[in-house]
Amino acid sequence: MALTYATIPLQVQGVSLNISTIHNLNSKPPTVFLHGFESCKEDLADIVVRPAFKQCGYLAFDAPGCGHSESERLSATDISFLIEQFHLIGHSMGGLTALLLAHRHPSRVLSFVDIKGNLAPEDCFLSRQIFLFPTNDPEAFLNAFIVRTATAKSYGSPLYASILRARVCAGAVRAIFESIMFMFGEENRGLSYLAWLGQAGVELAEIEDSGQFPMFSNPVEMYRRIGGFLKKL
């Protein structure tokens, strides 16, 4: 079954939204994907063509101010899900959002894969830039942010920087940054909280040859680890 694209008009907390979505649903609980600040709903859409996920549905949307979604006010917006139970995957900002969702509705989340989900201040290297490089000009901040990212010596950073302008509205950046299984790239293996997560029973999945963006740097290994995790459930 092919992916279906749809734009859904919503009124949430007094804000008018046009939410760009994709889905491929069947009778089984779907995988709901919440993308990160730099990303969009298509970042994990390869799930629908990978054999390990052939029985899984998929549902994702562009957050307000990102991708093809539109908002009359570029601020954080809570969106209620209309699915009773689902598998949950979140990346970066989406990982933090997914963590909050899982905390509020634990009975609805069948499994949770957190891809570099900003669990501690040491890990918030993107969002802390609003404090390290303060400016009241959203366009100037985004332009400088793109330059810093494009020249960073980190896996996937130049590719990430090349798509930022097309995927996020400058006016949404501050609101996003201020609100903002654990999977991580090998660049982040030094995070202090990894040992604590492992001791608490969280499966840790280190993806070789990658950093913040395993879907760019090593997607084959990333999907293999997610597929293996879901198969055990």
Side-chain angles (χ1 to χ4, degrees), residues 165-177:
R165 176 61 64 184
R167 287 187 170 184
V168 66
C169 298
V173 174
R174 177 168 291 276
I176 289 172
F177 278 174

Side-chain angles (χ1 to χ4, degrees), residues 7-10 16-20 62-64 68-72:
T7 299
I8 301 174
L10 293 176
S16 295
L17 305 168
N18 286 310
I19 301 298
S20 179
D62 289 332
H68 294 96
S69 288
E70 298 175 349
S71 171
E72 67 174 4

Side-chain angles (χ1 to χ4, degrees), residues 1-141:
M1 183 185 297
L3 284 169
T4 298
Y5 286 74
T7 299
I8 301 174
L10 293 176
Q11 189 85 15
V12 181
Q13 298 180 355
V15 179
S16 295
L17 305 168
N18 286 310
I19 301 298
S20 179
T21 71
I22 55 174
H23 65 270
N24 178 4
L25 302 177
N26 52 37
S27 60
K28 295 182 178 295
T31 295
V32 174
F33 172 57
L34 303 180
H35 68 75
F37 161 70
E38 73 293 332
S39 303
C40 65
K41 61 186 180 298
E42 288 86 2
D43 269 15
L44 259 67
D46 274 4
I47 277 180
V48 302
V49 297
R50 292 183 176 269
F53 301 91
K54 63 181 179 180
Q55 302 298 325
C56 299
Y58 181 76
L59 172 64
F61 63 91
D62 289 332
C66 302
H68 294 96
S69 288
E70 298 175 349
S71 171
E72 67 174 4
R73 192 173 75 223
L74 294 175
S75 57
T77 304
D78 292 329
I79 297 177
S80 299
F81 290 97
L82 303 179
I83 296 174
E84 185 173 342
Q85 288 188 310
F86 47 88
H87 299 281
L88 186 59
I89 298 176
H91 170 236
S92 188
M93 175 190 73
L96 180 57
T97 305
L99 186 66
L100 295 173
L101 176 62
H103 177 70
R104 293 178 182 177
H105 304 284
S107 64
R108 299 174 66 185
V109 178
L110 298 175
S111 68
F112 177 28
V113 177
D114 189 350
I115 306 174
K116 197 60 173 44
N118 302 135
L119 298 182
E122 67 185 281
D123 200 19
C124 300
F125 76 100
L126 295 178
S127 54
R128 72 162 62 102
Q129 293 193 36
I130 62 173
F131 303 108
L132 296 176
F133 307 97
T135 176
N136 292 323
D137 186 336
E139 289 289 344
F141 176 84

